[in-house]
Amino acid sequence: MLRKIFVAAVFVIGAAQPLLADNAVDPQADFKAFREYFTKRFPKVQLNDFVNGPYSMDEGLRKQWQQIEEFPPYEFAVEHGKEAFAKPFKNGKTLGDCFPNKGVGIRQNYPYFDTKSGEVITLELALNQCLEANGEKPLSYTSQDMAALTAYMAFTSRGKPFDIKIPNDPRALAAYRSGEEYFYTRRGQLNFSCASCHVQNPGGHIRTEVLAPALGILNAMPIYRSAWENMGTITRRFQTCNSQVRGVPLPGQDVLYRNVEYYLSYMGNGLPISGPGARP
Amino acid sequence: MRTRALIRLAVILSVAGLTTAALAASADDFKAALAKAEAANKQAGALKNQWTTTKDALKAAKKAADGGKFDEAVAHANQAEALAKASIAQAEAEKTAWTAAVVR
């Protein structure tokens, strides 16, 4: 018995070794360097303002935004999400029953690393898992219905700082590392990484859009985009960002999308949830 | 003697090859080119790094072939293969190159 445990332990350590060999995975050190990069580069932007994405970078846009927020275009989605949360399934249970505190005020804790399945569980995935576990049809990850659910959850969590944990588990560190790798990997015919736009060029323009900084980039999700005339989930945003560089988007909630969400959310730790957001 | 025969054969073959290329491509030529392009794009898919332009070229190739324009179809398929190979090379290079961009 003991011997078996010993063998298992050696195996796990062995598996983690290649990661540690070239570059130890150190989320805390990454977090510090990441935040410092943005606060030094944009010394005039208040730390908590980074969560407002393009508005934190551009005064003209901010004025436009203040006007948009007078009649928040995501209000309908929040209402719709609230109703959907309370509506009983065929079995009598509700979405709220799948979440701590009925799903209210908990958005800041997602994604989390599930030590049972060994995977990153995002909010969108958790919602569909809940539907399926109760015999309901899962939603498309880019649908307005999915965006309404996450909009409601974000709205009830506004102001709460992102609190993403990376348990001391080699699989969690590997997922984090994979998310980091996805973020910095160049892809698509245009040969851009997420970082090329959101780290190297925040505040820069692409056509009429102002690039959001990667620090706090998920705090405002989901977003209503006037250009789309509707809501966008995190999945939809990632897929759009892939297509922009002429890369074929991954399927919704592909393990790489979940891992990059884990990485970016961890980088946003301590910054307040501001979603749902409104974008030009 | 034997070597010379082989060289002659090679010359004949290469001329024949040139002529087929110059002549109109056939449905079989297209099928062969498409299979190569699709195999490369599948490999890019396994690396989770397909390009939309590869997909577009594959679509254009099939459309041309459907219209019986095999020259055009082969050209698009070859382009798709080249794009898919570039996306594979990109993914392979990035396996190590990405770390250089990390904020430290």
Side-chain angles (χ1 to χ4, degrees), chain B residues 51-84:
Chain B
W51 291 357
T52 53
T53 37
T54 309
K55 213 167 134 182
D56 294 344
L58 284 170
K59 218 190 266 169
K62 286 177 194 160
K63 195 170 161 214
D66 284 345
K69 295 184 210 151
F70 293 112
D71 281 343
E72 205 185 310
V74 168
H76 283 303
N78 288 343
Q79 190 201 0
E81 188 191 3
L83 289 167

Side-chain angles (χ1 to χ4, degrees), chain A residues 198-243:
Chain A
H198 296 294
V199 173
Q200 273 133 41
N201 276 305
H205 287 74
I206 288 208
R207 292 181 298 267
T208 60
E209 298 182 289
V210 176
L211 284 168
L215 180 64
I217 199 167
L218 291 173
N219 296 51
M221 302 303 288
I223 44 172
Y224 180 95
R225 287 197 77 216
S226 304
W228 289 338
E229 294 186 325
N230 55 28
M231 301 287 300
T233 56
I234 289 178
T235 296
R236 183 176 182 188
R237 189 62 258 185
F238 286 0
Q239 290 183 333
T240 309
C241 283
N242 281 158
S243 314

Side-chain angles (χ1 to χ4, degrees), chain A residues 36-241:
Chain A
E36 237 171 60
Y37 170 85
F38 285 97
T39 49
K40 282 214 176 114
R41 180 155 169 187
F42 301 102
K44 286 197 200 124
V45 176
Q46 299 275 313
L47 183 60
N48 283 351
D49 196 29
F50 280 101
V51 303
N52 297 314
Y55 306 121
S56 66
M57 301 279 109
D58 189 297
E59 263 316 305
L61 263 191
R62 184 186 288 277
K63 295 224 172 73
Q64 233 179 301
W65 177 41
Q66 281 154 354
Q67 273 177 358
I68 298 176
E69 286 283 341
E70 281 177 29
F71 301 98
Y74 47 76
E75 215 160 46
F76 175 77
V78 173
E79 273 311 304
H80 177 47
K82 186 177 178 181
E83 282 164 24
F85 244 81
K87 195 173 153 219
F89 300 139
K90 284 181 231 82
N91 67 9
K93 292 197 180 155
T94 65
L95 271 170
D97 292 333
C98 290
F99 293 92
N101 200 34
K102 297 275 179 200
V104 171
I106 59 161
R107 190 268 173 270
Q108 70 282 0
N109 301 324
Y110 289 79
Y112 69 94
F113 186 82
D114 177 34
T115 46
K116 243 188 257 152
S117 64
E119 285 186 279
V120 170
I121 309 290
T122 63
L123 199 54
E124 292 172 20
L125 183 67
L127 283 159
N128 263 355
Q129 284 180 340
C130 173
L131 289 171
E132 286 188 295
N134 285 285
E136 300 285 319
K137 248 178 68 187
L139 299 169
S140 149
Y141 288 114
T142 53
S143 65
Q144 295 305 299
D145 284 343
M146 178 57 85
L149 297 178
T150 57
Y152 168 64
M153 294 180 88
F155 189 75
T156 62
S157 312
R158 275 192 173 176
K160 300 200 174 191
F162 242 136
D163 186 16
I164 304 305
K165 300 202 164 65
I166 299 172
N168 191 11
D169 178 326
R171 298 168 306 168
L173 285 170
Y176 166 89
R177 174 71 159 191
S178 146
E180 181 188 31
E181 175 173 351
Y182 188 78
F183 183 73
Y184 286 103
T185 293
R186 290 174 175 275
R187 64 177 55 84
Q189 195 186 20
L190 298 187
N191 200 34
F192 276 48
S193 69
C194 311
S196 312
C197 285
H198 296 294
V199 173
Q200 273 133 41
N201 276 305
H205 287 74
I206 288 208
R207 292 181 298 267
T208 60
E209 298 182 289
V210 176
L211 284 168
L215 180 64
I217 199 167
L218 291 173
N219 296 51
M221 302 303 288
I223 44 172
Y224 180 95
R225 287 197 77 216
S226 304
W228 289 338
E229 294 186 325
N230 55 28
M231 301 287 300
T233 56
I234 289 178
T235 296
R236 183 176 182 188
R237 189 62 258 185
F238 286 0
Q239 290 183 333
T240 309
C241 283

Side-chain angles (χ1 to χ4, degrees), chain A residues 186 188-189 191 246 248 254, chain B residues 48-50 52-53 90 94:
Chain A
R186 290 174 175 275
Q189 195 186 20
N191 200 34
R246 300 190 189 149
V248 174
D254 185 277
Chain B
K48 299 197 184 183
N49 193 39
Q50 286 177 334
T52 53
T53 37
Q90 178 190 48
E94 284 296 306

